[in-house]
Amino acid sequence: MTVTATSVDESDAVRPRTAPESRAARWLRRLVPAAAAALSGVLLYVSFPPRTLWWLALPAFAVFGWVLRGRGWKAALGLGYLFGLGFLLPLLVWTGVEVGPGPWLALVAIEAIFVALVGVGVAAVAKLPGWPLWAAAVWVAGEAARARVPFDGFPWGKIAFGQADGVFLPLAAVGGTPVLGFAVVLCGFGLYDVVRLGLDARRTRAVRRGAAVVALLSVAVPVVGALAARPLVSDRAQDGTTTVAVVQGNVPRAGLDFNSQRRAVLDYHARETERLAAEVEAGKVAKPDFVLWPENSSDIDPFANPDAYAVIDGAAKAIGVPISVGGVVERDGKLLNEQILWDPQKGPVDTYDKRQIQPFGEYLPLRPLLDMINKNWTSMVRQDFSRGSEPGVFDMDGATVGLVTCYEAAFDWTVRSEVTDGAQMISVPSNNATFDRSEMTYQQLAMSRVRAVEHSRTVAVPVTSGVSAIILPDGTITQRTGMFVADSLVQEVPLRSSLTPATRLGILPEIALVLVAAGGIGWAVAAGARRRRAGDV
């Protein structure tokens, strides 16, 4: 028997030995992607209001795509978490304005987990043909999850809410916030892919035509789609017009202690309404058809307190038109954040109870645990608010006005339900006094602008301390107040009844994109399993 020795591959014999990587080089190789992930998250934050730098979202996602491409799941998880921290830490800093950094940091730590999981998904689908499409769908799936869990979700920071001034805004009328956000993220990932393929072609002198076409389409299709959707955006009146007055009474002091000055807040709003009535009487201002007061404009229950009833009734009689009053009432043992339709002759005639109430603000999940950690937190919310169950649409002097109370504006379903229930315009009564002069009020105002385009409705935003505004169905702010001033806005606005594709389709575009994400991840997992089996053979 002859035994033959196995020879060494000649290429191995002649391959030059590389010097071992130094510790500094290893740290640098890890630090650069980590820093890039965090800084691209900060760049995404900078694209949000009150700044109008919406286009910065594109390079933010381009860098995020570069960071994740070719990473294993553990690295992608960490890099995604850093991106989430870079984005959400500054975006949500307002949540700790009055209660300290604890709740703010806890909220960000939890919400960034969703972004970390999205990072894993993006890294997985980045190996697929046409990966920007799959990756953008994965991002939307992450937003969909974040809008629902935990504690009924927290959609703040949806990419769509940073695009109120951007060229992609008309896409909100096509498929709502999921389609608008998908287009922005797709364009960002596509931008990275164009740069990557261009550099590859320059280095190898070869162009991968199929991949290049897909990359270019990833950038071009969202832009072309947004331009094609522009005819859906209109401020033309379909059902005539109405003259609306938005009253901002202001509060004595910013912060949580405004709640201890409930009577003063009510008096301020009544006083501003009476001042407006005097200007109408003098012919300085057109008489409104109805008046909108903000959330918490009467934290004293007018049904249980005759003095509060008399103050509101006096204001309604002075202006001589219906008022939507934001009240806190107790009925059948339940505490309700309620909008009350107050007729100048009949008094209260209709109500809407807020349905999407704010965890840790209007009710406390895990109350016993929080009480053990910090009794001050639980003392701020002594009694949990109860949820309403029906959409709120008031008939105000012939105009049907849908009510979306403050926090509800962040949720797709709460706004859509009012429009499908017949609202010809929308009111978003809010109370932002708790958050002082932070960016929160501007972030929320941008949401209302997106909702105006999404459903093609005028949106009025009465806020206790500002910024109050009137927004046309094309997303344009025509009037706005300052912060922490007493003021009122009066304007004739269009009423509309047609339904945009986004209103008609509802949740279907989001479901479709989640299914695309699931299909992409499934494909990537199956392809990886096949590669591993092939390597074992």
Side-chain angles (χ1 to χ4, degrees):
M1 178 182 293
T2 304
V3 179
T4 305
T6 304
S7 62
V8 178
D9 190 337
E10 291 182 0
S11 62
D12 288 339
V14 299
R15 184 179 297 136
R17 294 177 179 269
T18 56
E21 189 178 32
S22 68
R23 181 178 298 180
R26 285 198 302 271
W27 273 105
L28 186 63
R29 181 163 51 83
R30 295 172 182 173
L31 182 61
V32 168
L39 291 174
S40 59
V42 174
L43 192 64
L44 181 60
Y45 154 70
V46 175
S47 74
F48 271 65
R51 295 157 296 277
T52 57
L53 303 174
W54 58 269
W55 51 272
L56 286 178
L58 304 183
F61 278 102
V63 175
F64 192 42
W66 167 72
V67 164
L68 291 176
R69 188 173 174 83
R71 302 289 176 184
W73 73 268
K74 291 181 181 179
L77 187 72
L79 293 169
Y81 198 76
L82 288 173
F83 181 82
L85 291 179
F87 173 43
L88 295 172
L89 271 172
L91 186 80
L92 302 179
V93 67
W94 51 267
T95 59
V97 166
E98 289 296 327
V99 295
W104 161 50
L105 295 175
L107 174 64
V108 171
I110 293 169
E111 294 297 309
I113 292 172
F114 290 91
V115 185
L117 294 173
V118 166
V120 175
V122 170
V125 301
K127 302 179 179 71
L128 301 178
W131 74 271
L133 171 71
W134 309 106
V138 169
W139 181 272
V140 173
E143 288 191 339
R146 202 160 63 84
R148 290 166 174 82
V149 292
F151 313 124
D152 294 318
F154 188 73
W156 218 279
K158 272 190 168 186
I159 298 305
F161 297 148
Q163 297 295 310
D165 292 292
V167 298
F168 299 102
L169 181 60
L171 289 170
V174 176
T177 59
V179 168
L180 174 53
F182 172 78
V184 175
V185 179
L186 175 61
C187 195
F189 284 147
L191 181 64
Y192 160 62
D193 219 28
V194 168
V195 173
R196 179 181 69 86
L197 292 170
L199 293 174
D200 284 351
R202 186 174 180 180
R203 186 175 61 254
T204 63
R205 307 291 184 181
V207 178
R208 290 182 285 164
R209 291 183 180 178
V213 168
V214 170
L216 290 170
L217 287 175
S218 298
V219 175
V221 168
V223 177
V224 173
L227 295 176
R230 288 183 65 85
L232 295 174
V233 181
S234 173
D235 61 2
R236 181 176 60 85
Q238 295 175 325
D239 304 305
T241 62
T242 191
T243 301
V244 58
V246 170
V247 167
Q248 175 177 304
N250 201 14
V251 298
R253 291 189 301 276
L256 289 171
D257 67 344
F258 88 92
N259 288 306
S260 64
Q261 310 157 64
R262 295 176 297 168
R263 180 55 190 266
V265 174
L266 172 57
D267 288 343
Y268 282 11
H269 283 83
R271 184 187 308 162
E272 181 60 26
T273 303
E274 290 163 358
R275 187 194 67 78
L276 175 62
E279 289 197 342
V280 169
E281 182 70 23
K284 296 179 180 179
V285 179
K287 183 174 182 178
D289 296 310
F290 55 88
V291 175
L292 302 173
W293 282 13
E295 178 189 36
N296 298 125
S297 47
S298 178
D299 272 359
I300 303 174
D301 185 349
F303 299 107
N305 189 304
D307 287 349
Y309 188 107
V311 170
I312 298 170
D313 203 53
K317 284 180 166 55
I319 195 68
V321 298
I323 303 177
S324 178
V325 178
V328 174
V329 305
E330 189 167 354
R331 185 178 297 115
D332 300 326
K334 296 180 178 179
L335 192 64
L336 299 166
N337 186 334
E338 190 166 83
Q339 288 291 310
I340 307 165
L341 177 56
W342 207 286
D343 184 88
Q345 281 77 45
K346 302 175 184 178
V349 294
D350 201 357
T351 59
Y352 165 64
D353 298 324
K354 187 176 182 181
R355 294 170 292 165
Q356 188 73 43
I357 57 176
Q358 182 181 353
F360 307 101
E362 292 170 306
Y363 78 100
L364 282 185
L366 312 174
R367 183 182 285 271
L369 175 62
L370 291 174
D371 193 56
M372 289 169 50
I373 297 172
N374 190 330
K375 290 186 181 294
N376 290 333
W377 294 348
T378 52
S379 66
M380 292 175 189
V381 185
R382 292 186 176 87
Q383 181 180 350
D384 290 344
F385 279 80
S386 296
R387 301 172 185 272
S389 58
E390 299 294 330
V393 179
F394 288 169
D395 184 351
M396 303 187 76
D397 196 35
T400 52
V401 181
L403 284 303
V404 179
T405 305
C406 196
Y407 183 61
E408 292 184 318
F411 293 83
D412 296 344
W413 69 274
T414 52
V415 187
R416 178 177 180 267
S417 66
E418 316 302 67
V419 178
T420 57
D421 209 46
Q424 297 169 306
M425 67 168 289
I426 297 168
S427 174
V428 185
S430 304
N431 174 28
N432 300 339
T434 303
F435 306 108
D436 205 351
R437 297 180 182 273
S438 70
E439 293 182 357
M440 179 271 182
T441 195
Y442 300 102
Q443 293 170 10
Q444 191 176 55
L445 185 60
M447 293 179 193
S448 294
R449 295 179 63 191
V450 173
R451 299 304 184 191
V453 174
E454 182 179 12
H455 299 292
S456 195
R457 294 293 188 271
T458 296
V459 178
V461 186
V463 186
T464 50
S465 56
V467 173
S468 301
I470 295 175
I471 305 166
L472 293 182
D474 63 0
T476 303
I477 297 176
T478 55
Q479 292 192 65
R480 62 192 294 174
T481 68
M483 294 186 74
F484 295 100
V485 294
D487 203 353
S488 56
L489 309 173
V490 180
Q491 184 173 326
E492 183 180 11
V493 298
L495 298 175
R496 293 177 61 85
S497 56
S498 65
L499 302 182
T500 64
T503 310
R504 294 180 187 277
L505 293 171
I507 197 174
L508 292 179
E510 186 176 55
I511 291 175
L513 289 169
V514 170
L515 290 175
V516 170
I521 291 174
W523 183 8
V525 170
R530 283 195 301 271
R531 285 194 299 269
R532 286 192 295 272
R533 284 197 301 270
D536 292 337
V537 174

